[in-house]
Amino acid sequence: MRTKSGVLLSSVLILGMALSACGNNENDGAGASPSDSPAATESASSEAPSETPKEEEPTEITIMLPLNIAETPPDTIKNEVEKLTNTKLTYQFFPADTYEDKLNATLATGSLPEVAYLKNQATLVKMKGAIRDGQFWEIGPYLGEFPNLSKLKPLILNNTKVDGKLYSLYIGRPLARQGIIYRKDWADKLQLKTPETVDEVIAMAKAFTEQDPDGDSKANTIGLSDRNDLVYGAFKTVASWYSAPNNWGEKDGKLQPDFTFPEYVAAMDFMKTLRDAGAMNQDFAATSKTDQVALFNSGKAGIYIGAMSDIDALNKDLIKNVSTAVVDTAALIKGPNGQQTTWAIPGYNNVVMFPKSGIKDEDELKKVLAFYDKMMTPEVANVMFWGIEGTHYTVQDGKAKATDNADLIEREVKGFKDSLIGEAETNGTYEGFFSLPGRVRAEEFTKQQESLAIHDPTAALDSPTYTEEGVELQKIITDATYQYIYGKIDQAGFEKAIAEWKKRGGDKIIEEYNAVYKK
């Protein structure tokens, strides 16, 4: 993706008061008050020294990370984290849109700081060459020395390894949170039940298009609103309902890419059926997420397939335009084989790494890792994820209820929230308190789908050819997928695109993945 040159948005940060480092608390379960945690009390009593130790100097750490909001956050959260961890933190925020360029440029000049976050999973793939060149610390051998870092999930850590070695800590995300957000008021009016099968999803989309669900006697509604993203838009979720492999699957004892399976073609047929019927936005391959969301929020579209957690924002903006609107979520959709399946992400959306240009020796590395170990205590993790209790959230029924001032949270908390490692089960953050029924169901669906999720068998594997050429080669398949759905090519044309993918390097990728698959 072509990006503009990055603009530095680094903060000039204030040194917090140096306090003794907090104890390493065990996670006593979501919802427990961190200060009242029995594990916290036990840890404090068992680790208390016999005499008052000399106050330690705060550890100075500079952290480079992407900024996913418009402006650099103020120091409200940073200052609190410094107090809790006895650190002096300097956050170097750079706009997410140009972050990869900035990261590469800083890496090339050997000037990365002690800590560097990547942008996403794809950036980790691109960074493997630098990792193999020895530019980052291998941290796997040290995790056992830190009780909280040791809680990180082995499966997800394994998904981030390079050549079987661990160089990063992960920012955890639910494995399977994809599903349907839909206009329940439209469904109720048309006497449609919550869809449970792929055929019922198609039927709902057509009904929302053809049966005047908004009651204005005009043909101005569509079923599905989608965008130009075959992964986080509708397509990959639809394909998983048909039990398509997650990127790669096993066929005849050998790994093959998902687009070589009939289930992938079935998902293309699903999308083509909706488009041919006018039951979705016709130009979805050229539609941004902003425009996709606008179709739903304006009251024109009735179905959104993607992260179910998006329901809060969609509902908030929709009812501004349609005050009587009601939204709900659906998941656990059955494919033609009667099975309920969905796809799983590798359990993280980003990682943090430790450049040797910023960390000179093992002692310094351990001090930085000690900070991340403290980050995984409920006291620190809740500050970073939810903010300051009483200001950004309150505790209700043992869960965190965010303030209604969403702008305050976005401005002061989100920049730091995006850098918190682990997940609630490992770092002790509160579960969220939600009042919107559709969001409550979304949280339940997300938990249920973990056991049904299809994992990517290549997540922890490596293909040098894929690292170098995979993104470019994927464009062949992406273009062919859109062309098939648009009716510009048939299945024979799609097979021709697969042959081109194989010829230009795909066969080599298949060979490399299979060489390490069953080792």
Side-chain angles (χ1 to χ4, degrees):
M1 179 177 67
R2 186 173 300 173
T3 57
K4 299 179 181 178
S5 58
V7 179
L8 176 63
L9 290 180
S10 60
S11 306
V12 178
L13 304 175
I14 304 171
L15 172 61
M17 295 297 294
L19 299 181
S20 298
C22 61
N24 293 320
N25 300 343
E26 292 296 322
N27 176 9
D28 195 42
S33 174
S35 60
D36 295 335
S37 166
T41 305
E42 179 183 345
S43 176
S45 61
S46 63
E47 296 181 10
S50 57
E51 58 183 48
T52 303
K54 182 179 180 181
E55 185 174 324
E56 296 181 5
E57 288 295 317
T59 301
E60 297 187 17
I61 305 173
T62 300
I63 301 170
M64 179 178 174
L65 69 171
L67 183 68
N68 295 297
I69 52 178
E71 298 179 359
T72 301
D75 290 345
T76 310
I77 303 302
K78 180 197 78 89
N79 290 343
E80 189 66 19
V81 171
E82 285 181 332
K83 294 175 185 177
L84 291 170
T85 60
N86 191 30
T87 53
K88 177 183 177 183
L89 305 174
T90 300
Y91 282 89
Q92 297 178 340
F93 287 102
F94 297 91
D97 288 346
T98 56
Y99 184 74
E100 214 169 83
D101 289 344
K102 182 64 181 179
L103 184 68
N104 289 332
T106 309
L107 174 67
T109 59
S111 52
L112 287 174
E114 290 92 342
V115 175
Y117 284 77
L118 303 191
K119 182 180 179 181
N120 50 35
Q121 297 168 21
T123 314
L124 177 58
V125 173
K126 297 174 186 176
M127 199 61 63
K128 286 184 177 180
I131 293 171
R132 292 190 176 105
D133 286 342
Q135 299 192 49
F136 295 91
W137 283 92
E138 180 191 355
I139 62 169
Y142 301 99
L143 292 197
E145 300 179 28
F146 300 96
N148 298 311
L149 294 181
S150 297
K151 299 176 192 173
L152 289 168
K153 296 180 178 180
L155 171 65
I156 302 174
L157 288 173
N158 190 56
N159 286 341
T160 72
K161 287 182 178 179
V162 177
D163 301 331
K165 297 179 180 180
L166 183 67
Y167 296 86
S168 60
L169 304 175
Y170 67 83
I171 293 85
R173 288 295 180 270
L175 286 171
R177 59 181 179 176
Q178 306 299 111
I180 300 171
I181 299 170
Y182 70 100
R183 288 288 297 273
K184 187 177 186 302
D185 55 322
W186 285 7
D188 289 346
K189 179 181 178 181
L190 301 180
Q191 297 183 325
L192 299 172
K193 67 183 183 69
T194 301
E196 297 178 358
T197 68
V198 288
D199 288 341
E200 289 175 356
V201 176
I202 292 173
M204 175 178 279
K206 288 183 176 180
F208 283 177
T209 305
E210 300 164 357
Q211 298 180 27
D212 189 28
D214 60 355
D216 66 355
S217 301
K218 298 177 181 178
N220 58 357
T221 59
I222 59 173
L224 175 66
S225 173
D226 197 24
R227 65 181 186 267
N228 57 351
D229 186 340
L230 294 179
V231 178
Y232 296 104
F235 182 78
K236 190 174 180 72
T237 298
V238 170
S240 73
W241 295 339
Y242 285 92
S243 298
N246 184 356
N247 298 329
W248 290 76
E250 189 170 329
K251 183 193 297 184
D252 299 327
K254 186 176 182 181
L255 283 181
Q256 298 284 348
D258 57 355
F259 49 80
T260 65
F261 286 73
E263 293 85 357
Y264 189 98
V265 177
M268 292 196 295
D269 287 334
F270 174 104
M271 300 294 289
K272 188 175 189 302
T273 296
L274 292 190
R275 188 175 182 278
D276 288 350
M280 66 180 295
N281 48 317
Q282 296 292 286
D283 61 344
F284 79 98
T287 301
S288 67
K289 182 174 182 179
T290 299
D291 291 339
Q292 174 202 19
V293 167
L295 283 172
F296 191 92
N297 290 342
S298 65
K300 182 176 181 180
I303 299 172
Y304 174 101
I305 298 176
M308 290 181 288
S309 56
D310 289 345
I311 188 173
D312 291 306
L314 291 174
N315 177 72
K316 178 183 176 183
D317 291 332
L318 172 62
I319 60 177
K320 292 177 182 177
N321 299 312
V322 186
S323 60
T324 57
V326 179
V327 293
D328 205 349
T329 49
L332 307 174
I333 304 299
K334 295 178 183 177
N337 59 6
Q339 294 183 358
Q340 295 174 324
T341 48
T342 188
W343 63 283
I345 66 170
Y348 70 97
N349 75 330
N350 199 4
V351 298
V352 56
M353 300 180 67
F354 307 94
K356 290 184 178 178
S357 59
I359 299 177
K360 303 303 182 184
D361 56 41
E362 187 180 72
D363 287 343
E364 188 176 350
L365 174 65
K366 289 184 178 181
K367 289 181 179 179
V368 175
L369 290 177
F371 163 67
Y372 277 90
D373 192 67
K374 293 170 187 173
M375 184 190 289
M376 287 189 65
T377 59
E379 293 86 348
V380 182
N382 279 308
V383 169
M384 295 192 71
F385 193 87
W386 294 107
I388 308 299
E389 185 176 353
T391 300
H392 303 104
Y393 76 98
T394 56
V395 178
Q396 187 166 332
D397 296 338
K399 298 181 179 182
K401 182 179 181 181
T403 175
D404 292 334
N405 189 344
D407 290 339
L408 177 67
I409 295 174
E410 172 133 332
R411 185 173 64 254
E412 296 189 353
V413 182
K414 181 168 172 53
F416 299 96
K417 175 180 180 177
D418 290 345
S419 69
L420 176 62
I421 62 169
E423 53 277 291
E425 306 98 296
T426 56
N427 61 31
T429 48
Y430 289 117
E431 289 187 10
F433 177 91
F434 303 107
S435 56
L436 186 66
R439 180 60 190 271
V440 173
R441 277 187 282 277
E443 295 298 302
E444 294 171 352
F445 284 137
T446 297
K447 293 177 182 178
Q448 289 175 292
Q449 289 190 148
E450 278 203 21
S451 63
L452 307 171
I454 302 168
H455 293 267
D456 179 358
T458 67
L461 304 182
D462 185 58
S463 160
T465 303
Y466 180 81
T467 300
E468 295 175 9
E469 304 175 31
V471 174
E472 193 65 30
L473 286 174
Q474 185 61 35
K475 293 178 182 178
I476 298 172
I477 304 302
T478 298
D479 290 345
T481 300
Y482 286 134
Q483 288 173 354
Y484 183 99
I485 295 169
Y486 274 49
K488 294 182 178 180
I489 61 173
D490 57 12
Q491 188 165 351
F494 189 73
E495 294 290 341
K496 185 177 179 180
I498 293 175
E500 181 68 12
W501 178 87
K502 290 182 176 180
K503 178 182 176 182
R504 290 174 55 180
D507 275 336
K508 189 69 173 174
I509 295 174
I510 294 173
E511 177 185 332
E512 290 169 353
Y513 273 139
N514 278 282
V516 295
Y517 176 45
K518 293 187 176 180
K519 282 188 176 181

